[in-house]
Amino acid sequence: MDLQLAGKTAVVTGGSKGIGLALVRTLLAEGMRVVTGSRTITAELKETDAVPVTVDLSTSSGPAQLIDSAIAELGGIDLLVNNVGVGDTDEFAKGARFNLLELPDDAWEDTFNLHFYSALRASRAALPSLIERKGTIINISSIGARLAAAGPANYNVSKAALSALTKVIAEQFGGQGVRAITVSPGPVSTGVWTDPDGFVGRLAKEQGVAHEAFVDQLISGLGVTTGRIAAPEEVARLIAFLASPVNITGNEYLIDGGMIKHV
């Protein structure tokens, strides 16, 4: 299938690993020119033809810095994917360990800066170019936004805000040709799940359970119908399809193996 993306341009936040890296590779394979921003440039990212920008997207100036660099490199932006997420494992784990009385303000602020404000700021900076080129914004949320009581509370709430932001962008700028879509993955085989020192790996150690066995327990307990974790490449393919010229905007697409079961 020709997704009609060849020759177009994309900015991907958090493209150094995980879903972001898989997406960079997928978009490049579709013939797009890609700029990506992250705090570190991994060896795997260097092996691609993407243009990497070293930037801290959790800062107030970082997202605009990335977009300015991308426009200078690409001339204009057809697609913005706000993907950056999770960040420091220890900080991520605090939201799962502490309740509202225990989780301090700075944990909420750090989480919202990374997951919500980075997307808001990048979108605002990119919108003039996206309006000019009738482009698309895709926000990578999480099924955690629908499961606020489970997992890191501050992360889940920030992702719920990100999903709402998609609706706002779609409504305010749809008349100018800009589409906005949310993609909400469930468990994905990134470092959060696969790294022995990642979030799930640390939980397994704390409970004295082998990592793989603990993952299987979680997948079963979460009600993943397919019985497996999604691959980053599967999420990337969904994003690439949604970036193609289709009459879709304001919607959320789950890729969760059947976890969310309500209509």
Side-chain angles (χ1 to χ4, degrees), residues 32 76-77 129 152-153 174 180 186 249:
M32 297 192 79
I77 301 170
S129 183
T249 193

Side-chain angles (χ1 to χ4, degrees), residues 8 77-80 126-138 168-181 242-250:
K8 294 188 176 182
I77 301 170
D78 294 301
L79 171 67
L80 168 63
L127 269 166
S129 183
L130 290 165
I131 291 169
E132 179 183 356
R133 299 169 77 116
K134 299 188 184 305
T136 302
I137 295 175
I138 299 179
V168 172
I169 295 170
E171 287 300 309
Q172 291 190 358
F173 300 98
Q176 295 169 274
V178 175
R179 296 185 302 123
I181 303 162
L242 294 171
S244 69
V246 289
N247 192 27
I248 295 172
T249 193

Side-chain angles (χ1 to χ4, degrees), residues 43-227:
E44 293 82 0
L45 179 57
K46 289 179 181 178
E47 291 174 356
T48 74
D49 290 328
V51 177
V53 177
T54 303
V55 62
D56 186 349
L57 293 163
S58 68
T59 65
S60 59
S61 61
Q65 178 186 335
L66 171 61
I67 297 302
D68 288 345
S69 298
I71 291 175
E73 177 69 29
L74 302 173
I77 301 170
D78 294 301
L79 171 67
L80 168 63
V81 182
N82 289 307
N83 163 77
V84 69
V86 178
D88 182 80
T89 299
D90 290 331
E91 292 300 313
F92 184 73
K94 284 182 182 178
R97 292 194 176 101
F98 300 149
N99 64 30
L100 292 180
L101 294 176
E102 300 165 331
L103 195 62
D105 282 0
D106 60 359
W108 287 90
E109 291 165 359
D110 290 347
T111 297
F112 265 77
N113 280 333
L114 183 62
H115 300 103
F116 176 76
Y117 281 109
S118 68
L120 172 63
R121 291 162 177 157
S123 297
R124 284 194 305 213
L127 269 166
S129 183
L130 290 165
I131 291 169
E132 179 183 356
R133 299 169 77 116
K134 299 188 184 305
T136 302
I137 295 175
I138 299 179
N139 291 324
I140 310 306
S141 184
S142 167
I143 56 162
R146 293 174 174 239
L147 304 170
N154 49 345
Y155 172 83
N156 289 348
V157 174
S158 72
K159 288 297 191 179
L162 179 60
S163 298
L165 177 63
T166 299
K167 296 284 190 181
V168 172
I169 295 170
E171 287 300 309
Q172 291 190 358
F173 300 98
Q176 295 169 274
V178 175
R179 296 185 302 123
I181 303 162
T182 295
V183 171
S184 295
V188 180
S189 55
T190 63
V192 172
W193 283 84
T194 62
D195 187 345
D197 293 320
F199 176 63
V200 173
R202 292 188 185 189
L203 290 178
K205 288 178 182 177
E206 290 174 5
Q207 299 192 25
V209 180
H211 189 181
E212 289 187 7
F214 189 70
V215 169
D216 290 341
Q217 289 177 18
L218 284 180
I219 293 300
S220 176
L222 289 169
V224 178
T225 305
T226 60

